[in-house]
Amino acid sequence: MSKHTFSIGGVHPHDNKISRECALEQLPLAPTVYIGVSQHIGAPSVPCVAVGDKVKVGQVIAEPGGFVGAFIHSSVSGTVKSIAPRADLAGRATTHIEIAVEGDEWLEGIDTSDTLITTIPDDAKAIIDKIRLGGVVGLGGATFPTHVKLSPPPGSKCERVIINGCECEPYLTSDFRTLLEKGEQVVVGAALLQKAMGGVPCTIAIEENKPEAIAHIREVIAKLGYKDMEVMVMKMMYPQGGEKQLIDAVMHRQVGSGALPISVGAVVQNVATALAVYDAVQKGRPIVDNSVTVTGECFPRQANLLVRVGTPLKYIIDYLGGIPADAAKIISGGPMMGRAVANLDAATVKGTGALLFLTEKQTRRAPETHCIRCGKCADACPMGLEPFLLNKLSKNADWEACEANAAQDCIECGCCLYSCPAHIPLLDNIRVGKGFALSAIRARAAAAKAAAEAAKK
Amino acid sequence: MSKLLVSPSPHIHSKDSTKSLMLDVVIALIPAVVCSVVFYGWQELMVLGVSVASCVLLEWAITKYMLKKPSTIGDLSAVVTGILLALNVPYTTPWWVVFVGAVVAVGVAKMTFGGLGQNIWNPALVGRVFLLVSFPTYMTTWSKPQGLFGVDAVSGPTPLGAIQEGLMQGSTVQELTSAYDYKDLLFANLGGSAGEVCALALLAGFVYLCCRKVIKPWITLSIFATVALTSLIFWGVNPARFTDPLFNLLTGGLVLGACFMATDYVTSPMSVWGGVVFGVGIGFLTVMIRYFGSYPEGVSFAILIMNSVVPLLNMWFKQKKFGRK
């Protein structure tokens, strides 16, 4: 079996998929949910319900706040209690719509049956519009509105749809379970994306540590008989599922600095997104829930849960037996790129894929010592950057040099900090340099645009 | 759980630390250390002991009393320097000369620059060269290995020294090298610094380091290739004046230098191509010094010279960035 991988850098953290045998299970409804209006990249959505309104599952409760925006639907049925600022996962106050749950009544027109619908509509535009109405956003982590990604700017053309089933982050297993248990729906979702992009070929990329999923999806593709669709076995390597890395591995094309995947003809969608596309297009079912891996060596009960959007974290954790005594850090997402949770009252969003519990021993950072110039960070960087250099430039606040040395290309995968034997907080510092480099680039672009407009007049 | 830790990602770390890497280097040096003690006897053990102990003690004292900072001896880099320095001097070196070497290696070449990671030149080599220049009597009175249980100490020049001397007296290289069985060079049977005597033990350590991914093999291989190629050309032109490639590969500190000194993280380039150029430079300079220099042995000087250009090599040879030309 030939295995594919990206061409630069990468690390091999232990994959620790201890929850891989846990089948997807439905989390009972929480008494109250808090649905945020900023669950995606782009403009926050604008609430379109009022306090006291009765809502049903799947009903639109907030509308897109701009072109790069998404519909937000009620994940439960009940009464809107408040629309007010509330602390999110990171502790920042954002507007949330609080809904008291009453029963589980779905909006008319949503097909909640398990019947698999494999007929692909002919109209690509109609598919994309249904995806937009379903509030589908990229569930691989970036939560970029999917319909925007599927509408390439004029002049660019999609040549291949890549379904990202790498799940290269240690511990995470929700995509794996989705592939195993909802493989048919994912494959139909992939076929819908193929159609939406004009009938281009499709690659479903799965890492080698998920052989059952690889075999199952191959079987499903053969059974459903979709054309130009293949499973590609990827080498176990982090960050195999990074968008740019995956395109490099699958198509041998490198997306340039600051460019979008479409510039090399690629559209990448995560497995969970493909499932959401299926639900939205074939079933008229918007994103109201998502699968969340709850795991960690110190966590007594591993699980892959189907969680309604807006469920408070505390409710999920209590359902599984509460926070273990030796847990020191709770991470939303994987251990490499996930965010530490500061606030357990925060509610899940569409993009929440995991809750990971780490002990202090597992997550404690050793004290920083001198750089020994081993170059391990540069070897590990999948973008071919020099983290040791960017670290220094950032600390010296030399933003111009940061930009000249491509700090803005950093994808924040964490490989440099992970591999540094001197425990230097490389990525912490590089993020600062990246921010300044990006804002300088944006300021220049804005100035150039203004100058061009002034010249026109 | 009383409160939650919150910090930026990544939340896990590889098991590597400076200490674990240095420990791997120490493990890789064990075959060579055992070999040298077996071949040279208890005197070599004393040299090793004095060297390691003084390197570690000096670093501890300097951090504690001069820099007034937390001690850094825990990272084991002083142990590595100590072993390498010991392997770089003859086993007959008096203890106080070894101590002076340690003072220069750790005190001058390492700590004055700010400790591990800040030094420009390989500390053990600076110590060795200082001793070579300052105490030529001790450093050039090489003795043939007498063995752990042996009694007859036979004094004699190293192979490279003998040839240099022989050439000055008008002999040809063929006459001079015919005295050596190359198998002896590989398995350690000739006079030299402790670490120069058993190429096989050193190569075993090198393979260990590569397998553990502590170092990449490119620097070492490019040194070997360059030494072989350069001496092949000279030897091909005039075999009476110049020694052959195999002899050059197996004698002197070449194997020790190429496997353990040139691959020192701190004083070698970061990128693969930088490392290759670095290795080519060391290999070429080594052969040039051996053929035309006034010292019979050139590896130490060649490495120190190339150490000096590492910052330049780091600037010139960079990895290709993703999606950029």
Side-chain angles (χ1 to χ4, degrees):
Chain A
M1 202 155 39
S2 68
K3 290 175 261 174
H4 299 256
T5 189
F6 51 96
S7 46
I8 308 174
V11 293
H12 291 99
H14 192 284
D15 74 345
N16 279 322
K17 307 272 189 190
I18 45 183
S19 54
R20 75 198 308 280
E21 300 304 329
C22 306
L24 290 169
E25 61 178 294
Q26 188 79 49
L27 177 77
L29 292 179
T32 312
V33 296
Y34 303 88
I35 302 174
V37 297
S38 288
Q39 303 196 19
H40 48 264
I41 288 185
S45 303
V46 183
C48 58
V49 288
V51 175
D53 284 4
K54 294 274 181 196
V55 292
K56 291 179 180 173
V57 184
Q59 183 180 332
V60 173
I61 53 170
E63 287 170 338
F67 173 66
V68 181
F71 281 103
I72 290 172
H73 304 78
S74 177
S75 61
V76 292
S77 60
T79 311
V80 178
K81 285 285 174 194
S82 72
I83 300 172
R86 193 169 190 278
D88 65 7
L89 286 169
R92 278 184 300 253
T94 52
T95 304
H96 281 71
I97 301 171
E98 177 187 359
I99 303 172
V101 179
E102 294 148 13
D104 193 26
E105 196 186 333
W106 288 64
L107 196 68
E108 298 77 33
I110 295 176
D111 178 358
T112 52
S113 71
D114 286 338
T115 328
L116 187 73
I117 303 170
T118 56
T119 357
I120 306 295
D122 268 335
D123 186 0
K125 278 229 166 65
I127 294 177
I128 296 175
D129 204 46
K130 280 186 176 169
I131 290 172
R132 186 177 68 89
L133 293 173
V136 180
V137 298
L139 299 176
T143 62
F144 190 78
T146 301
H147 68 277
V148 180
K149 215 174 182 180
L150 297 179
S151 316
S156 49
K157 197 181 165 302
C158 173
E159 291 168 53
R160 184 174 290 272
V161 169
I162 300 172
I163 304 297
N164 185 353
C166 292
E167 204 163 47
C168 59
E169 277 260 15
Y171 293 98
L172 308 198
T173 53
S174 59
D175 283 353
F176 167 68
R177 292 313 306 185
T178 303
L179 283 169
L180 267 192
E181 296 176 44
K182 299 188 173 180
E184 286 85 358
Q185 290 91 320
V186 171
V187 169
V188 176
L192 289 165
L193 289 166
Q194 267 183 301
K195 188 75 190 177
M197 296 321 294
V200 295
C202 170
T203 301
I204 302 177
I206 307 176
E207 262 192 10
E208 57 186 321
N209 59 351
K210 297 178 259 299
E212 308 95 318
I214 292 166
H216 180 62
I217 295 298
R218 282 195 169 137
E219 227 167 78
V220 169
I221 293 173
K223 193 173 77 190
L224 298 180
Y226 291 124
K227 280 191 203 115
D228 285 337
M229 193 184 288
E230 48 153 14
V231 172
M232 193 181 265
V233 182
M234 315 306 290
K235 204 174 152 196
M236 210 178 109
M237 175 97 101
Y238 177 85
Q240 192 71 263
E243 194 169 51
K244 288 185 172 184
Q245 279 63 40
L246 189 58
I247 295 168
D248 182 26
V250 173
M251 298 172 75
H252 306 292
R253 293 179 189 176
Q254 297 193 341
V255 180
S257 174
L260 293 171
I262 194 71
S263 67
V264 297
V267 166
V268 182
Q269 296 291 352
N270 173 263
V271 163
T273 316
L275 176 64
V277 164
Y278 167 85
D279 283 338
V281 178
Q282 306 292 70
K283 303 283 213 176
R285 181 184 191 271
I287 296 192
V288 294
D289 61 4
N290 51 322
S291 49
V292 177
T293 302
V294 188
T295 185
E297 278 90 347
C298 61
F299 198 69
R301 169 131 138 61
Q302 315 289 318
N304 290 296
L305 298 176
L306 283 168
V307 178
R308 294 287 172 95
V309 173
T311 304
L313 300 186
K314 204 165 179 313
Y315 178 79
I316 303 174
I317 297 166
D318 287 344
Y319 172 74
L320 293 171
I323 300 171
D326 51 348
K329 202 189 241 180
I330 304 178
I331 296 154
S332 163
M336 295 298 286
M337 285 188 81
R339 281 165 189 269
V341 175
N343 167 25
L344 287 176
D345 291 325
T348 64
V349 292
K350 292 174 185 175
T352 305
L355 277 182
L356 169 64
F357 293 79
L358 293 178
T359 59
E360 188 168 348
K361 193 169 167 246
Q362 285 174 307
T363 188
R364 200 177 70 98
R365 284 190 184 177
E368 175 182 355
T369 56
H370 277 313
C371 171
I372 55 168
R373 297 191 238 166
C374 61
K376 281 187 188 292
C377 56
D379 288 343
C381 180
M383 296 305 288
L385 310 180
E386 294 158 296
F388 60 90
L389 177 67
L390 294 174
N391 174 61
K392 237 175 223 168
L393 296 174
S394 259
K395 280 172 99 172
N396 293 348
D398 191 345
W399 314 127
E400 272 171 36
C402 280
E403 190 191 332
N405 286 285
Q408 63 275 20
D409 287 5
C410 172
I411 59 169
E412 304 185 25
C413 62
C415 288
C416 53
L417 209 166
Y418 173 82
S419 54
C420 178
H423 303 277
I424 298 167
L426 293 162
L427 180 54
D428 298 5
N429 294 328
I430 294 170
R431 275 196 190 100
V432 179
K434 176 188 174 181
F436 278 96
L438 276 178
S439 55
I441 291 168
R442 286 198 194 112
R444 269 203 313 275
K449 204 175 163 190
E453 265 166 34
K456 250 188 237 167
K457 283 173 197 166
Chain B
M1 191 214 68
S2 52
K3 49 188 170 180
L4 289 177
L5 282 177
V6 177
S7 66
S9 64
H11 306 287
I12 51 173
H13 196 278
S14 72
K15 289 193 181 69
D16 284 347
S17 65
T18 305
K19 185 180 173 177
S20 75
L21 295 172
M22 291 298 163
L23 186 64
D24 267 336
V25 178
V26 172
I27 292 170
L29 282 166
I30 286 175
V33 166
V34 170
C35 268
S36 59
V37 171
V38 168
F39 288 120
Y40 290 117
W42 62 270
Q43 265 180 292
E44 174 63 24
L45 205 58
M46 191 208 70
V47 170
L48 273 161
V50 170
S51 178
V52 172
S54 31
C55 282
V56 173
L57 275 175
L58 279 163
E59 183 164 325
W60 173 80
I62 289 168
T63 46
K64 187 170 164 87
Y65 296 109
M66 290 175 75
L67 302 176
K68 304 202 188 328
K69 280 181 177 174
S71 166
T72 49
I73 56 171
D75 64 25
L76 298 181
S77 63
V79 176
V80 172
T81 302
I83 298 175
L84 287 175
L85 180 67
L87 294 180
N88 263 300
V89 298
Y91 73 97
T92 45
T93 316
W95 69 268
W96 61 271
V97 173
V98 178
F99 180 76
V100 170
V103 169
V104 174
V106 169
V108 177
K110 187 177 175 188
M111 297 315 285
T112 35
F113 288 88
L116 180 68
Q118 315 290 314
N119 51 302
I120 301 169
W121 295 283
N122 185 311
L125 275 182
V126 173
R128 192 245 167 138
V129 166
F130 180 84
L131 295 183
L132 189 65
V133 178
S134 316
F135 304 98
T137 341
Y138 297 119
M139 292 294 287
T140 50
T141 314
W142 311 91
S143 297
K144 273 199 177 169
Q146 126 203 44
L148 195 52
F149 313 104
V151 272
D152 305 324
V154 186
S155 236
T158 62
L160 281 171
I163 283 169
Q164 180 122 4
E165 229 166 82
L167 282 173
M168 277 190 247
Q169 289 158 9
S171 321
T172 67
V173 164
Q174 281 102 331
E175 292 166 17
L176 294 163
T177 50
S178 63
Y180 301 103
D181 183 352
Y182 287 5
K183 250 191 290 175
D184 285 347
L185 296 173
L186 203 55
F187 294 108
N189 255 322
L190 289 160
S193 295
E196 294 178 14
V197 288
C198 190
L200 223 52
L202 290 164
L203 287 173
F206 170 67
V207 170
Y208 172 81
L209 287 183
C210 289
C211 289
R212 295 275 297 160
K213 297 206 170 133
V214 174
I215 58 169
K216 281 185 235 156
W218 312 121
I219 293 175
T220 309
L221 294 181
S222 78
I223 293 175
F224 286 153
T226 311
V227 167
L229 200 72
T230 316
S231 50
L232 183 71
I233 294 168
F234 279 89
W235 176 65
V237 171
N238 187 357
R241 165 74 178 81
F242 301 110
T243 47
D244 64 272
L246 196 58
F247 187 83
N248 273 303
L249 284 175
L250 292 176
T251 52
L254 189 76
V255 179
L256 177 66
C259 294
F260 289 96
M261 320 287 269
T263 54
D264 169 32
Y265 282 146
V266 180
T267 55
S268 64
M270 301 256 203
S271 68
V272 171
W273 283 109
V276 169
V277 173
F278 178 72
V280 168
I282 292 173
F284 183 75
L285 287 173
T286 300
V287 177
M288 289 302 112
I289 294 169
R290 283 183 180 181
Y291 283 166
F292 304 110
S294 54
Y295 281 96
E297 168 57 316
V299 182
S300 311
F301 294 105
I303 294 176
L304 289 177
I305 291 167
M306 290 310 289
N307 280 167
S308 324
V309 297
V310 163
L312 264 185
L313 293 175
N314 277 338
M315 217 155 74
W316 288 341
F317 296 93
K318 296 195 171 200
Q319 191 179 324
K320 188 193 162 291
K321 291 184 174 66
F322 188 99
R324 287 174 182 247
K325 292 207 173 76

